[in-house]
Amino acid sequence: MRGLRLLLIVLLAALAAPAGLTGPFAGAAMAQEAPAAPDYAQWEKDAALAEQVLEEDRASNQAMEQLRQRIVDWRARFAAVQSANQQRIETLRSQIAALGAAPSEGQSEAPEIAERRSALNDQLAKLEAPGIAAVEAHSRAEGIIREIDSLIRDRQADALLKLSPSPVNPINWPAGAAVLTQGLKTLWGETVGAWENPARRTELRNNLPVIILYLAIAGILVLRAPGFIGNMTARLHRSNSMRTRALAATILSLGQVVVPVLGVLLLVMATRATGMTGLRSGELIGALPEAAAAFFLARWLGASVFTGGTTAPIVVERPAEARFHASMLGVAAALEVMRVAFATDVRPPLSQAAQSVWAFPVAVLVAVFLFRLGHLIRRREGALDTDERAFGARIQKLFGTALVAASVVSPLLGAVGYVAASNALIWPALGTLALVGLVIVLHRFLTDIYLVVSRSGEEGREALVPVLLVFVLALSALPALALIWGARTADLWEAWNRFRGGIVLGETRISPTSFLTLVAVFVMGYLATRLVQGALKYSVLPRTNLEKGVQNALAAGVGYVGIFLAALVSITAAGLDLSSLAIVAGALSVGIGFGLQNIVQNFVSGIILLIERPISEGDMIEVNGQFGIVKGISVRSTWIETFDRTDVIVPNGDLVSGVVTNLTRGNLTGRLILKAGVAYGSDTRRVEAILKEIANAQPLVLVDPAPAVIFTDLGADSLNFEVRAILSDVNFKNVVLSEMNHEIVRRFAEEGIEIPFAQRDIWIRNPEALRGEARVAAPAPATPAAPEARRTPDPRLIHNDPSEDEEGDR
């Protein structure tokens, strides 16, 4: 039940903590504001008292907590004194270092330097003395705090495993019945005594109008308002006319908790206004708001989480039944609140048998409904068509299984007699379920805010921001979860202090503060670097006469230098001394070097490319059989766009160590070679003249040097010529080649010059095999072979490719 109460006050406590800081941080804050010298005499008394109390082991847990708080305050003072005069100490150490190394034994130095060194050392010793004493006292305080925490945890474990009288044993039932009988008698006596008191009856008559007004408003708020708010919320959820309707519906639905609780508060005020309450009845009436809050919160969470459908936060087969069980768990929680209030200030105190009998029935009631609800959560409906849904289904099944296990184990422990362990299991399990519901509702609310701000539809729920919100909310809920499961507030403060202290690597302490400082400074340096880099690339360098490749190289170099300087400045600003990690870094660099040698090679090659610039953006190159235009050069690889409009990523190491053909490095001119063949019997001089005319007619062909036509060879099928021309822009090589081929075909046709194609005569032996005639069974006597007949080949059997020529053997 402690966990449920924590859930009701956790938000108020979070808001109240900054306004009234208490605990270890309060002492630390005061110490940082005015670090004064601690009273070591008083500290010695408090430390001795704490050690004596620990040795005797007789103080209560409450007294131990108070004693621990005093030691924590002392520890905060010592921590503040440790960092006092630190700047002055560093200055003195620098002054001593400036005097040089102290002379070794048998050597002497100038009297003035020796005198100055002695004076500085005396000042340094005086300034370091308070810090050394604070370090020693701080260590002692740490030890005492750890001993107190260990003692309290041992006591909690002993109390948890304490065997009480079994509540299922009929022998113990009369003790519980006696508590009920005595309590009812007390309530009746308080009521009768108050009614017989004339002054109280007069007070009742005087306050009767106010009481009636309170009761009327309370009845409306408790009985009518929740249903009205529920209907309004459902209408807002069904409406799609405005993006903010989901936010408004969530906020309005909170009225289902707040409004009825206000009505119960009015009911309490009306009851107290009658003047008829006593000690026991006052405790019961005062517990009504907490009980109402537990019930209405459980019902609201059930309605918000188990909404039904595949888009619900927790998908179950029967959402209506799940909402019913959630409401019944709220009823059980309210009964527990009233049970605790009824047993408060009982005289004489409840016996162990009475405590067991009174606590067990409500725990069993919670276990019954929690078992059924956990079973529904385990059985998720809907298709698991994505990995995300499959993962969510596994988490939901695991959570439901844990609830079922807790609801089974807890009653068994209570029946055996481990009532404390039973309560320590079932109520935190219920508190965890409520906490998970709160996280789900809050996540949905924040996601709706994100959708409104980003102006995205329902598909925005699958974006990265809602996923990150889940992790943030889960981490934020961890302290509340620890408190629900029995952690002390002091344990959380202690864990937070250790987290703030960070970890020590060698002589370097890395704390969250230093880490955040490092990240913030590096991000600012990175943004400044990108700003300068963008200004150079788009504003300054384009106004110079530098080549495009030089501009890109300068901009990239400024970026690398800026990032390196940002890293150095951030490390310095965070106060990290990495000199002690040099040996470890050196050892790791060897192993990393072997594993990342290709990456390092490409990185160095990228720097070489940016400095030497053998290729630049826009160059047409050929490397490793890939032909295309360079679109970008990074520090690791180069991006080439081929003429097929595909992107090829080439490691920079291949560009530096391999053979690269750059067609446009010096200029855009390039040679075009066009091959053409004519039939035998053609006028070769006329062919040469026609080819020259076609080449000279192309506007991209340079006049100087003039294009040349070469009669290369007498081919097997044609007379072969080559046209060799220099183009002013090699990027249009294919265009010129196509145009010249078109013109060659047209001019040759006009001039009656034949463009031959390869022809072959095929000799076929045994043509009867083609006609399917059967061969003679017995071979004929060997006779001289008849002369082979020359046949006109079937055009379908003519092959233009000489490599495909063949002679059949049949």
Side-chain angles (χ1 to χ4, degrees):
M1 196 56 208
R2 177 174 174 266
L4 293 177
R5 293 182 178 179
L6 285 171
L7 280 176
L8 296 176
I9 64 174
V10 64
L11 295 177
L12 295 177
L15 295 175
L21 186 62
T22 59
F25 289 166
M30 292 187 297
Q32 290 177 0
E33 292 176 0
D39 186 357
Y40 285 99
Q42 183 62 39
W43 156 245
E44 187 65 31
K45 294 180 182 178
D46 291 345
L49 175 62
E51 291 170 350
Q52 181 181 357
V53 171
L54 286 171
E55 184 178 358
E56 294 177 354
D57 191 12
R58 283 189 249 173
S60 63
N61 286 347
Q62 184 177 2
M64 297 294 289
E65 291 285 1
Q66 294 176 355
L67 181 60
R68 183 189 185 280
Q69 185 59 45
R70 292 173 60 183
I71 303 301
V72 167
D73 294 338
W74 278 111
R75 184 181 63 177
R77 298 177 194 174
F78 298 144
V81 174
Q82 290 180 24
S83 59
N85 302 323
Q86 193 63 34
Q87 295 182 352
R88 179 58 180 157
I89 290 174
E90 294 295 333
T91 303
L92 286 174
R93 289 176 178 173
S94 301
Q95 290 178 276
I96 296 174
L99 296 177
S104 59
E105 186 177 355
Q107 295 181 352
S108 60
E109 61 181 348
E112 297 83 359
I113 298 178
E115 182 179 357
R116 182 58 178 166
R117 188 190 303 276
S118 177
L120 292 176
N121 284 326
D122 292 341
Q123 295 180 28
L124 181 62
K126 291 180 181 179
L127 290 176
E128 288 180 340
I132 295 174
V135 170
E136 184 274 333
H138 186 276
S139 300
R140 187 179 181 184
E142 282 276 2
I144 294 175
I145 292 172
R146 283 195 296 268
E147 290 185 33
I148 294 176
D149 290 339
S150 178
L151 179 61
I152 293 177
R153 281 193 291 267
D154 292 341
R155 289 181 177 180
Q156 289 177 340
D158 293 339
L160 193 65
L161 300 178
K162 183 179 180 181
L163 185 62
S164 303
S166 175
V168 298
N169 191 346
I171 298 177
N172 300 318
W173 295 352
V179 173
L180 178 61
T181 303
Q182 183 63 33
L184 293 176
K185 289 182 179 180
T186 303
L187 290 175
W188 178 256
E190 290 176 353
T191 304
V192 173
W195 181 257
E196 292 178 352
N197 190 337
R200 293 198 176 187
R201 290 199 302 271
T202 302
E203 182 181 0
L204 174 62
R205 286 193 298 269
N206 294 335
N207 294 334
L208 189 59
V210 177
I211 294 172
I212 295 175
L213 178 62
Y214 284 167
L215 291 176
I217 298 176
I220 295 174
L221 294 180
V222 174
L223 300 178
R224 303 294 300 175
F228 176 76
I229 295 174
N231 293 332
M232 292 294 297
T233 303
R235 291 179 183 178
L236 288 176
H237 277 300
R238 288 194 298 267
S239 176
N240 298 323
S241 60
M242 189 171 59
R243 289 177 177 268
T244 56
R245 289 294 174 90
L247 292 175
T250 303
I251 296 174
L252 182 62
S253 66
L254 287 174
Q256 296 177 345
V257 179
V258 177
V259 173
V261 172
L262 290 177
V264 174
L265 285 174
L266 290 177
L267 179 62
V268 172
M269 294 172 60
T271 305
R272 289 179 175 173
T274 61
M276 297 294 174
T277 59
L279 178 62
R280 180 66 61 85
S281 58
E283 289 290 340
L284 286 175
I285 293 172
L288 284 176
E290 184 179 352
F295 168 71
F296 289 109
L297 179 63
R299 192 174 71 170
W300 175 70
L301 287 176
S304 301
V305 174
F306 305 109
T307 56
T310 57
T311 60
I314 297 182
V315 181
V316 295
E317 291 183 350
R318 291 185 287 273
E321 183 181 352
R323 292 192 292 269
F324 170 76
H325 292 306
S327 301
M328 295 308 298
L329 287 173
V331 172
L335 290 177
E336 176 66 10
V337 172
M338 300 305 295
R339 183 193 70 80
V340 173
F342 184 80
T344 302
D345 293 332
V346 175
R347 295 293 182 269
L350 291 180
S351 62
Q352 292 186 1
Q355 293 177 5
S356 300
V357 171
W358 269 83
F360 184 69
V362 183
V364 171
L365 182 64
V366 173
V368 170
F369 292 109
L370 196 64
F371 174 84
R372 183 54 186 165
L373 185 59
H375 185 68
L376 291 175
I377 292 175
R378 288 181 70 249
R379 298 176 59 184
R380 178 185 176 121
E381 68 171 2
L384 305 179
D385 51 354
T386 62
D387 293 338
E388 181 180 358
R389 290 190 177 183
F391 176 75
R394 289 195 297 269
I395 296 297
Q396 179 175 327
K397 183 177 181 180
L398 181 63
F399 182 62
T401 303
L403 293 179
V404 171
S407 62
V408 172
V409 174
S410 177
L412 295 179
L413 290 175
V416 172
Y418 292 99
V419 179
S422 174
N423 290 330
L425 179 61
I426 195 63
W427 292 111
L430 179 57
T432 303
L433 178 62
L435 181 62
V436 170
L438 285 175
V439 170
I440 290 175
V441 173
L442 185 58
H443 173 258
R444 186 170 57 188
F445 179 72
L446 295 178
T447 302
D448 290 337
I449 294 177
Y450 166 75
L451 295 181
V452 172
V453 173
S454 62
R455 298 182 179 274
S456 56
E458 288 298 319
E459 67 277 2
R461 297 185 184 275
E462 306 298 329
L464 178 62
V465 173
V467 177
L468 294 179
L469 285 175
V470 173
F471 287 100
V472 172
L473 292 175
L475 291 176
S476 302
L478 288 180
L481 184 64
L483 292 175
I484 289 173
W485 284 94
R488 297 157 42 233
T489 307
D491 294 333
L492 298 182
W493 286 119
E494 193 68 21
W496 176 249
N497 273 333
R498 295 185 183 279
F499 176 75
R500 290 181 60 194
I503 58 176
V504 178
L505 296 177
E507 297 179 358
T508 302
R509 178 177 291 274
I510 302 177
S511 63
T513 303
S514 61
F515 178 76
L516 292 177
T517 303
L518 185 146
V519 172
V521 175
F522 179 78
V523 169
M524 289 188 293
Y526 178 81
L527 294 178
T529 299
R530 291 306 184 194
L531 181 63
V532 174
Q533 192 178 16
L536 286 175
K537 189 173 182 179
Y538 300 108
S539 298
V540 178
L541 294 178
R543 302 176 186 273
T544 63
N545 295 327
L546 298 176
E547 297 180 1
K548 183 66 174 178
V550 178
Q551 296 179 16
N552 294 332
L554 288 176
V558 169
Y560 298 141
V561 172
I563 292 175
F564 179 73
L565 293 178
L568 289 181
V569 172
S570 62
I571 292 174
T572 304
L576 301 180
D577 182 13
L578 303 182
S579 58
S580 58
L581 302 179
I583 299 177
V584 178
L588 290 176
S589 63
V590 177
I592 295 175
F594 283 107
L596 304 179
Q597 56 182 346
N598 290 332
I599 296 178
V600 174
Q601 177 188 3
N602 293 327
F603 180 84
V604 176
S605 300
I607 295 176
I608 294 174
L609 290 177
L610 292 175
I611 295 176
E612 295 185 355
R613 295 182 296 104
I615 61 174
S616 302
E617 291 186 14
D619 289 352
M620 185 184 300
I621 67 172
E622 181 180 3
V623 57
N624 295 337
Q626 299 293 335
F627 190 80
I629 298 175
V630 177
K631 290 297 183 180
I633 302 175
S634 66
V635 74
R636 191 196 67 84
S637 60
T638 297
W639 166 31
I640 300 175
E641 182 181 290
T642 66
F643 296 106
D644 295 331
R645 292 298 184 265
T646 58
D647 295 336
V648 178
I649 308 300
V650 180
N652 289 332
D654 295 346
L655 297 175
V656 173
S657 60
V659 178
V660 180
T661 302
N662 194 331
L663 281 71
T664 59
R665 172 59 183 162
N667 49 58
L668 295 178
T669 60
R671 189 172 70 169
L672 167 68
I673 298 178
L674 184 149
K675 296 181 180 181
V678 297
Y680 277 91
S682 301
D683 186 354
T684 57
R685 294 296 179 180
R686 183 57 184 162
V687 171
E688 181 180 0
I690 293 173
L691 292 177
K692 281 187 177 181
E693 291 176 5
I694 294 174
N696 290 324
Q698 292 296 323
L700 292 179
V701 174
L702 295 180
V703 178
D704 186 16
V709 177
I710 301 174
F711 187 4
T712 57
D713 62 348
L714 303 174
D717 303 301
S718 63
L719 303 174
N720 297 324
F721 291 81
E722 282 188 2
V723 181
R724 298 184 179 183
I726 303 299
L727 303 181
S728 60
D729 192 344
V730 75
N731 291 311
F732 295 93
K733 180 178 179 179
N734 291 331
V735 177
V736 176
L737 182 64
S738 177
E739 290 296 328
M740 290 181 66
N741 282 328
H742 283 296
E743 190 66 17
I744 288 172
V745 171
R746 186 184 68 81
R747 289 293 302 275
F748 281 5
E750 290 178 356
E751 299 288 339
I753 299 173
E754 181 183 357
I755 300 176
F757 54 89
Q759 298 184 15
R760 295 292 183 268
D761 291 339
I762 300 177
W763 295 82
I764 302 176
R765 295 179 180 179
N766 302 325
E768 64 277 4
L770 297 178
R771 294 193 297 267
E773 296 179 0
R775 294 185 178 182
V776 181
T783 57
E788 295 179 347
R790 183 182 181 93
R791 294 176 179 273
T792 302
D794 189 340
R796 293 173 298 177
L797 302 178
I798 294 177
H799 301 275
N800 292 330
D801 192 349
S803 62
E804 297 180 0
D805 294 345
E806 64 178 3
E807 287 189 13
D809 57 356
R810 293 182 301 178

